[in-house]
Amino acid sequence: MASADKPINTDVPEKDVFALHFLQSLSNLRRQNTFNSPEKTNDRVKKIKKAAYVSMARAAGGTNRLWSRALLRRAAKENNKVVRLPRRKKRVTCLRRRRSNRRDPVEEEEAERLRNLVPGGGGMETSKLMEETAHYIKCLSMQVKVMQCLVDGLAPK
Amino acid sequence: MDNELFMNAGVLSHPSEMTSLSSSSPPAMLNWASMETHPLEQSITRNVPRDCFFGEKSTEQSIFGSALNSLVSPPPSESNFSGGGAGENYVTRELVGDLGNIGDIYGAPASFGNGFGSCYATPMMSSPPLDAFSGDSRFAERAARFSCLGSRSFNGRRTNGPVAETASINGEMTRVSSNSALKPPAGESSGESSRKRKAKSKEHSPSTASPSPNLSKEVEGKEDSDSKRSRKSQENGENTKSLDPYKDFIHVRARRGQATDSHSLAERVRREKISERMKLLQELVPGCNKVTGKALMLDEIINYVQSLQRQVEFLSMKLSSVNTRLDFNMDALMSKDIFPSSNNQQVPQLESSSHILLADHHSHTLQLNPNDSSNNIMNPMETSESRSFNSQLPTLTHLTDSISQFSTYSEDDLHSIIHMGFAQNQIREPNQVHSTSFQGPSNQVPSHMKAEL
């Protein structure tokens, strides 16, 4: 039923790792010829945003985290690329929803919203979802810091 | 503490029997104590209401007998009642006969009790030999209870006297996994809280023989409705869950007065898990300490995640706009400790180079209008850069130098210059990324930059 509960691990790498990945992805973006054309701002923004998320996923969890896997998979799908993620020991795909248990309606509603926000949340049980959310929040805040630094660094004086 | 225990035990005293036992009692007591007075506890829990503790001796006798009967113990003739191993029932009966009411001895004056306390202490402190009692889950349960009783006193808990202990015992777990290795529950508090005592040590202590995978759901039929205990997620200092390599299941004790069917137990486990994670999230999300309640907390969390995602989007917009124009401030870039360097020295260097490259490339694609003046400028640049391309290290240095030198020039010029440098640098970039030698002089770059500017 319930598995033994190891202490929850929500470590995220240092800021540098995030920055490194993000900058690498950005420089990859630069190489695209269609990039940086001033007209298509929206496209550029979207690309940058996607690069940010993908680099964050790679930096933070690689394929060890559910949300990063889902993110990478989603991104690869958008590019029509096939991404093969190594199978983890636990079947992340098996949906264990115990319908028989009493479910707090309020909590479930919130959990649904959270599932929509966190990538890959749809296939998780609530407790696992919260673990992933915690890690996701940490990584997001780290990525935001990195981007803020970048913007500040490149901001016009 | 010992006194309390002995008071408890003393209730069971039977003066008549005591004398007969006196000779054999001390060693028997010692050894019997090593068996953690399982029968005592069991008897207490089972049949003896609170009053009985202080009163009836007849009941005590019967209780004691039954307790001993269920107790697995070595023959009383042997002086080492190490209490280990599967005993024979006849042994216990003999014990009953011989020892009568060990409680008597317990009830002996404090002096005796002190000795008792010591002998109590000894077996308890050493890992209880309950491991051997794996065969009998019931026994293990009683053993667990009784060991808790003993250990409670060991730990110097000032319970509210025997009453409290009784109450807590009554509120004892309905079931104990047949793990026999019981560790004295450290975190006990008196009275009611002792009920919720983290006797999880009992539940979670590694089970040497845990046959059924559904031990967590196993509930002793008898005490079901009355005495339940909820599983505490925090053992005082010991995370027994982690100690158990065999068990995959968490042993849950149902709370007193609540249902014990497997569904609700599982539900409780699940809820506790969720609350544990909620606490974790609460620390992460700023300003969530005041908010209590799952719904509000989740609201806060969702808002926070949304705000973070919006921030990412906003920053990416800003980044895209910032990079469209080159306002090249190398000084600011290099001197500012944008990315605090960690142990990994290579990373910041790469970032600094990436900075330059990023900005360069952006500006390049935008406005590439080489004029004559820029051509002149470019030529020396080319030569310098071509020279530098032979070695990786100077490349970046040169580039930044030239950039800094020409920072006063027009944007167009800069763009073209940078484009030249960048196009050539791009080839080098992968090498630069991985070159360890890059780290050395790269330290000089910022200073160099500053000097230039």
Side-chain angles (χ1 to χ4, degrees), chain A residues 1-3 16 20 23 30-31 36 44 101-102 107 110 113 127 130-131 136 150 154 156-157, chain B residues 248-249 267 271 277-278 284 294 299 309 322 324-325 329 340 342 350 355 358 361-362 426 429:
Chain A
M1 176 206 53
S3 57
D16 308 337
L20 174 62
L23 287 172
R30 303 302 174 266
R31 293 190 193 158
N36 289 332
R44 195 159 70 235
N101 285 346
R102 257 185 306 130
E107 165 201 317
E110 311 278 341
R113 286 164 63 186
S127 61
M130 307 189 70
E131 258 188 75
Y136 186 59
L150 246 186
L154 292 174
K157 289 296 177 186
Chain B
D248 277 345
F249 301 96
E267 180 74 17
R271 259 189 262 131
R277 275 123 219 243
M278 289 282 285
L284 274 184
K294 263 200 293 190
D299 268 340
Q309 286 177 337
V322 159
T324 56
R325 52 187 177 134
N329 198 338
S342 59
L350 170 66
H355 262 295
L358 282 175
H361 199 39
H362 273 301
Q426 255 188 333
E429 184 189 351

Side-chain angles (χ1 to χ4, degrees), chain A residues 1-10 14-20 22-24 26-33 35-38 41-42 44-46 48-49 52-53 56 96 98 100-104 106-114 116-119 125-131 133-138 140-141 143-157, chain B residues 213-214 216-217 239 241-242 244 247-250 252 262-267 269-271 273-278 280-281 284-285 294-296 298-299 301-306 308-313 315-325 327 329 332-333 336 338-344 347-348 350-352 354-355 357-359 361-363 365-366 422 426 429-430 433:
Chain A
M1 176 206 53
S3 57
D5 199 12
K6 294 158 256 175
I8 305 172
N9 177 27
T10 52
E14 286 293 321
K15 209 166 153 190
D16 308 337
V17 181
F18 283 89
L20 174 62
F22 186 47
L23 287 172
Q24 277 179 339
L26 278 183
S27 60
N28 283 338
L29 275 181
R30 303 302 174 266
R31 293 190 193 158
Q32 296 176 16
N33 294 331
F35 201 68
N36 289 332
S37 54
T41 344
N42 283 341
R44 195 159 70 235
V45 168
K46 276 190 209 157
I48 291 183
K49 190 169 93 166
Y53 275 110
M56 173 175 80
R96 292 187 335 202
R98 296 188 292 268
S100 57
N101 285 346
R102 257 185 306 130
R103 304 205 145 227
D104 189 4
V106 178
E107 165 201 317
E108 274 314 298
E109 168 193 326
E110 311 278 341
E112 267 310 305
R113 286 164 63 186
L114 202 54
N116 293 336
L117 280 180
V118 176
E125 232 245 322
T126 311
S127 61
K128 187 73 180 167
L129 175 72
M130 307 189 70
E131 258 188 75
T133 309
H135 193 257
Y136 186 59
I137 286 177
K138 273 191 187 170
L140 261 183
S141 50
Q143 180 75 22
V144 161
K145 275 185 215 160
V146 163
M147 290 175 78
Q148 188 73 53
C149 284
L150 246 186
V151 167
D152 289 342
L154 292 174
K157 289 296 177 186
Chain B
N214 275 340
S216 59
K217 305 284 184 69
N239 186 0
K241 291 182 210 153
S242 59
D244 196 332
K247 288 211 141 352
D248 277 345
F249 301 96
I250 295 174
V252 187
S262 64
H263 282 309
S264 40
L265 279 180
E267 180 74 17
V269 169
R270 181 177 155 270
R271 259 189 262 131
K273 254 188 170 182
I274 289 181
S275 62
E276 183 187 336
R277 275 123 219 243
M278 289 282 285
L280 192 70
L281 279 170
L284 274 184
V285 178
K294 263 200 293 190
L296 294 172
L298 278 169
D299 268 340
I301 293 169
I302 288 172
N303 285 339
Y304 189 60
V305 170
Q306 275 172 341
L308 279 178
Q309 286 177 337
R310 262 183 265 132
Q311 253 181 316
V312 168
E313 180 155 359
L315 281 174
S316 65
M317 270 193 333
K318 224 179 166 194
L319 258 183
S320 77
S321 72
V322 159
N323 279 325
T324 56
R325 52 187 177 134
D327 204 351
N329 198 338
L333 263 181
K336 228 196 267 183
I338 297 173
F339 301 103
S341 56
S342 59
N343 300 334
N344 183 7
V347 173
L350 170 66
E351 291 159 2
S352 57
S354 308
H355 262 295
L357 299 173
L358 282 175
H361 199 39
H362 273 301
S363 57
T365 47
L366 260 191
F422 182 67
Q426 255 188 333
E429 184 189 351
V433 170

Side-chain angles (χ1 to χ4, degrees), chain B residues 12 32 39-40 43 60-68 100-103:
Chain B
L12 307 176
W32 198 82
L40 185 59
S43 59
E60 294 150 1
Q61 174 77 36
S62 56
I63 291 160
F64 213 69
S66 61
L68 280 177
N101 271 330
I102 292 184

